[in-house]
Amino acid sequence: MPHDIRILTEADLRGLLTLDLALVDVIERAFAALAGGQVVMPPILSMDLPAVNGEVDVKTAWIPGFDGFAIKVSPGFFDNPSLGLPSLNGLMLQFSATTGLAEAVFLDNGFLTDMRTAAAGAVAARHLAPRQVQTAAVFGTGAQARLQMQAAYLVRPFERLLVHGRDLARARACADDLAAALGVRAEAVEDPAAMVAQAQLVVTTTLARVPILRAEWLHPGLHVTAMGSDQTGKTEIAPEALARADLYVCDRVSQCEVSGELEAALAAGAWARGTPPELGQIIVGSHPGRVDEDAVTICDLTGTGVQDTAIATHVLSLAGVAGVTVRS
Amino acid sequence: MPHDIRILTEADLRGLLTLDLALVDVIERAFAALAGGQVVMPPILSMDLPAVNGEVDVKTAWIPGFDGFAIKVSPGFFDNPSLGLPSLNGLMLQFSATTGLAEAVFLDNGFLTDMRTAAAGAVAARHLAPRQVQTAAVFGTGAQARLQMQAAYLVRPFERLLVHGRDLARARACADDLAAALGVRAEAVEDPAAMVAQAQLVVTTTLARVPILRAEWLHPGLHVTAMGSDQTGKTEIAPEALARADLYVCDRVSQCEVSGELEAALAAGAWARGTPPELGQIIVGSHPGRVDEDAVTICDLTGTGVQDTAIATHVLSLAGVAGVTVRS
């Protein structure tokens, strides 16, 4: 039986979707559902292609109460830059949660992933950062560094923003962009220890494979969100920092154990506190989360299929008549 | 960087693709590659959704020498018929094998799966059936029964065709359709034992969960292709038949062990011959296959990701300017 399928390009999606509190709320709802136990989220299908220096990941999750579910395909082909092409691209498919019929194809080139990742940072900050954040800081100077700070500002409207990166000029450009976008004071900082010392909220957004944030830099009243590590071998936070913090929280324990900060801490024998709580448990109140303003908290975001389903369902609800409709 | 992605509907694809020897050859090449050991074919991502009586499978495979690779999504939502909707649908995505960029979306509603499944039947018949097939027979009266007989005729142009199904009227309609399509004598047969006794090539295309073909019906000079079982619990061939045949061949051993005829035979303790050969080994000549015209052979097709990649690559090569092109 023919039915209509909507095709939306990256340009269409950028016209529809804003990084705002409505998006943060939808992503929060997805994490809350994850704590409820009725989400179906199979392990990631991962295909390594050493012959072409590539990999392909497929993620999906079905969330009770959501109209649809997404299947996201994320290819990474690391010889592409030599051809003038991006290493990463990707798209999402949206299906009806009750009939399984395909409803939409989002040719987003990773845009929706960027946005749902930033929104997860805001969810983590909302539930784990100190109530008062005067200064926020970010490691990294790319698109996700900008988005994470814009997302954090929605829930913790800080006055001052610091940026650290390996390239000071790029850090300055990132700070300038964010100062303009948010109307806050923003500056690049060469010394990462000095930057962390001044901040109440730190977000790490790098591809680091050796830690960039040391355990001895942790100080009372600090929250750190580490969103860079999403694969075995990546790590941004020193293993000892996880145990030194008052609270370490995973987006999904089973993923953090193999591809997040917990992986390196377990490998280093630096974690002996058993199973950490998940962000969803703190959202629904089954774990207390931050207990006072002086606590030190760390949230580890590896990226989950529920976020994809949540943002895909959200953007389709906003789509109106945008895009191309194909009858199939 | 924007690039063009082709969107092809089921109608577009039906206009492009014919069940012919070119398609059979492409599918054969995919099975041959599977024997070569350089194919990357991850385990199927399978998501069970008991809350909505549904399931979703995702298959993929990367084949050296093919321009692209496909990712196929197959939802099955079994309450759909009560809504006037089909239980099964599905689509495929095609990506460049060297850059990972999305190239095409095939909104095929399962049409490409039907075609690549039929073509696999022809590959099995070409390499395993006796050279002379005077009479072919099929269990089942649906779309795949018709396609399997049309595919078999390409490689073994039989004179006579027999159809058995639970509903004699449907078996007659299927026989009449095939007689018209192929220009052969075709008739419905009520007694399955009598049907098998007359045939040199039998294809089973049912959703059976108890065997419909008994071991004692096997006779010299018979080849059976069982393509119906593709899930745990499905079975068409009596467990004893596998061991009684001179040769039992899998499309993919790892799949047949959990979702094919081998599953039931292993569970019944009726298989003690170790690891069976795969169809690809017979194609490339690393296993002798049928050794004489009187041998009894069985081929078990559970459906593989290489077939999806092969048909997707093939149909895209035929596409010309068909479909809608979206820049993303």
Side-chain angles (χ1 to χ4, degrees), chain B residues 212-272:
Chain B
I212 53 168
L213 193 150
R214 295 201 193 155
E216 58 267 32
W217 299 349
L218 298 180
H219 59 78
L222 173 67
H223 172 71
V224 177
T225 294
M227 58 66 53
S229 178
D230 59 352
Q231 279 183 345
T232 302
K234 286 191 190 170
T235 180
E236 299 183 284
I237 311 295
E240 309 75 39
L242 270 56
R244 189 182 288 203
D246 297 294
L247 179 63
Y248 164 73
V249 177
C250 295
D251 58 355
R252 190 65 164 172
V253 172
S254 56
Q255 292 188 187
C256 293
E257 285 172 345
V258 295
S259 61
E261 301 302 333
L262 189 54
E263 182 211 356
L266 288 169
W271 181 259

Side-chain angles (χ1 to χ4, degrees), chain A:
Chain A
M1 175 175 297
H3 67 288
D4 288 343
I5 297 174
R6 191 80 65 87
I7 315 290
L8 295 163
T9 65
E10 181 182 346
D12 295 329
L13 294 162
R14 285 186 183 273
L16 290 169
L17 192 68
T18 310
L19 183 49
D20 58 14
L21 284 173
L23 175 59
V24 174
D25 289 344
V26 168
I27 299 297
E28 180 174 293
R29 231 182 103 205
F31 279 113
L34 207 47
Q38 286 187 292
V39 165
V40 181
M41 189 162 78
I44 297 166
L45 183 160
S46 197
M47 178 162 69
D48 277 322
L49 300 171
V52 288
N53 195 19
E55 63 184 27
V56 184
D57 280 357
V58 182
K59 287 184 183 180
T60 186
W62 186 94
I63 311 175
F66 278 69
D67 292 338
F69 65 91
I71 294 181
K72 181 171 79 175
V73 181
S74 306
F77 280 64
F78 304 103
D79 294 341
N80 280 3
S82 68
L83 306 170
L85 297 171
S87 292
L88 304 174
N89 69 96
L91 55 79
M92 289 193 200
L93 304 169
Q94 177 78 349
F95 297 85
S96 160
T98 48
T99 67
L101 290 181
E103 293 184 329
V105 180
F106 301 126
L107 300 168
D108 71 317
N109 299 317
F111 168 66
L112 295 178
T113 299
D114 286 346
M115 294 291 270
R116 64 78 151 152
T117 302
V123 173
R126 180 189 266 169
H127 290 278
L128 288 165
R131 243 171 258 149
Q132 298 298 323
V133 174
Q134 191 266 333
T135 299
V138 65
F139 283 81
T141 60
Q144 194 58 221
R146 288 162 170 84
L147 287 171
Q148 285 290 340
M149 288 293 101
Q150 291 174 280
Y153 189 79
L154 294 170
V155 298
R156 291 292 186 272
F158 44 81
E159 292 161 23
R160 192 161 156 256
L161 189 159
L162 307 174
V163 182
H164 173 77
R166 285 174 301 184
D167 181 327
L168 189 62
R170 287 172 61 96
R172 282 190 182 126
C174 182
D176 290 349
D177 287 351
L178 284 165
L182 299 175
V184 299
R185 286 181 293 138
E187 55 192 282
V189 182
E190 277 198 89
D191 176 3
M195 179 173 83
V196 173
Q198 298 173 67
Q200 295 82 50
L201 169 63
V202 170
V203 183
T204 59
T205 71
T206 74
L207 304 172
R209 291 180 172 269
V210 290
I212 54 168
L213 193 149
R214 295 202 193 153
E216 57 267 32
W217 299 348
L218 298 179
H219 59 77
L222 174 66
H223 171 72
V224 177
T225 294
M227 58 65 52
S229 178
D230 59 353
Q231 280 183 346
T232 302
K234 287 191 190 169
T235 180
E236 300 183 282
I237 311 296
E240 309 75 38
L242 271 54
R244 189 182 287 202
D246 297 295
L247 178 63
Y248 163 74
V249 177
C250 295
D251 58 354
R252 189 65 162 173
V253 171
S254 56
Q255 292 188 186
C256 292
E257 285 172 344
V258 295
S259 61
E261 302 301 334
L262 189 54
E263 181 210 356
L266 288 169
W271 181 261
R273 282 205 227 151
T275 304
E278 294 188 349
L279 183 54
Q281 294 174 261
I282 291 160
I283 295 167
V284 302
S286 65
H287 185 284
R290 169 176 286 272
V291 290
D292 63 52
E293 287 289 281
D294 282 342
V296 178
T297 52
I298 298 177
C299 186
D300 190 355
L301 300 179
T302 54
T304 62
V306 292
Q307 293 164 255
D308 301 319
T309 281
I311 198 167
T313 304
H314 179 59
V315 79
L316 190 58
S317 78
L318 300 173
V321 296
V324 174
T325 297
V326 175
R327 171 149 292 206
S328 186

Side-chain angles (χ1 to χ4, degrees), chain B residues 41 64 122 136 161 173 177 182 185 223 250 280 322:
Chain B
M41 189 163 77
L161 191 159
D177 287 351
L182 299 175
R185 285 181 293 136
H223 172 71
C250 295

